[in-house]
Amino acid sequence: MEGIYLENRKLLYENPLACEADIKDFVLEGDASITFPEGRMRLENARSDREGQKANYVLWCPDDFPSDVMIEWDFAPLREPGLCMLFFAARGRAGEDLFDGRLASRTGEYPQYHHGDINAFHVSYFRRKEPDERAFHTCNLRKSYGFHLVVQGGDPIPDVADVRGMYHMSVVKKGNVRFYINGLEVFCFLEDGKTYGPALAGGKLGFRQLAPCMAEYANLRVYGI
């Protein structure tokens, strides 16, 4: 797997996501089955996809990260349809910690994350849920509060039948936001702090999946840049 390398980066967080102990402090919103059959974190829905948004979920890393970061993880889809997403720079709209008791509770239903009490970036990839997503594969970056689609790029990950191993995912946020898969730049969002609201600073990150997708994750790393 090819990645990208940035000089003068400093490792802030590392988690192999290899066993249950690795995520003992993670926070799950919604219902999910989380297992480690291959020494990698496997996520799948615990509720039927016929329940719609109620079957979806978010798994948050408990740590807060600064504004300028590089986030890396390895990913492999195992079952489709579905959709996978990374939230980052997530915090309350008034700057609160994401788990501040003054914020409304969240249960994995998407409107709670883009029109709720929080701000965040959300990059969606392996978008195979709706017919139009399966017909034309893209990766999207949205910014909230709001449902602002700020940039879009082509998704190089194949359908599950043609997946071979894991894909190396990278988000680089330093003013602008860049997204890479196996070192290939998928998109770059030029943040001006005006068009889609003020620039987002630091905060938490979390993995989101849409039922009935099943996928595996490994080697989560966050660098200061």
Side-chain angles (χ1 to χ4, degrees), residues 4 153-154 156 170 177-189:
I4 61 170
S170 304
V177 177
R178 289 178 163 84
F179 180 52
Y180 303 82
I181 299 178
N182 281 6
L184 174 71
E185 184 170 307
V186 175
F187 60 65
C188 175
F189 168 52

Side-chain angles (χ1 to χ4, degrees), residues 6-177:
L6 297 178
E7 293 184 358
N8 301 317
R9 65 182 185 176
K10 178 181 179 181
L11 183 64
L12 303 177
Y13 178 87
E14 184 173 21
N15 191 326
L17 303 176
C19 64
E20 188 173 353
D22 290 338
I23 63 164
K24 63 183 178 64
D25 296 323
F26 279 42
V27 177
L28 177 64
E29 296 173 349
D31 298 316
S33 171
I34 307 176
T35 57
F36 301 85
E38 303 293 335
R40 299 182 291 270
M41 183 175 72
R42 179 175 294 183
L43 299 182
E44 56 185 311
N45 47 297
R47 303 176 68 163
S48 169
D49 61 304
R50 292 189 296 271
E51 297 187 58
Q53 281 287 337
K54 294 182 183 299
N56 303 328
Y57 50 89
V58 180
L59 181 65
W60 292 104
C61 175
D63 291 45
D64 277 290
F65 299 105
S67 180
D68 296 342
V69 292
M70 176 179 177
I71 305 165
E72 295 186 327
W73 70 104
D74 295 328
F75 166 80
L78 303 179
R79 183 176 67 211
E80 54 188 272
L83 183 149
C84 300
M85 182 181 298
L86 181 81
F87 286 108
F88 59 100
R91 59 174 56 188
R93 293 177 64 192
E96 304 97 333
D97 182 86
L98 189 68
F99 305 131
D100 192 301
R102 292 170 293 180
L103 303 183
S105 61
R106 300 177 298 269
T107 57
E109 298 174 62
Y110 198 28
Q112 299 168 351
Y113 300 85
H114 60 70
H115 276 85
D117 287 348
I118 71 172
N119 290 330
F121 281 115
H122 16 134
V123 55
S124 56
Y125 55 95
F126 196 71
R127 300 174 64 247
R128 307 293 196 275
K129 182 68 172 176
E130 303 300 332
D132 63 326
E133 296 169 350
R134 299 197 298 272
F136 190 72
H137 298 170
T138 64
C139 299
N140 293 349
L141 181 69
R142 293 189 184 272
K143 183 179 177 182
S144 60
Y145 181 82
F147 195 55
H148 306 295
L149 177 60
V150 299
V151 71
Q152 189 175 59
D155 181 0
I157 297 177
D159 292 338
V160 166
D162 293 317
V163 166
R164 300 292 182 269
M166 304 196 83
Y167 295 85
H168 191 70
M169 322 293 281
S170 304
V171 169
V172 177
K173 178 182 178 296
K174 189 171 185 179
N176 301 326
V177 177

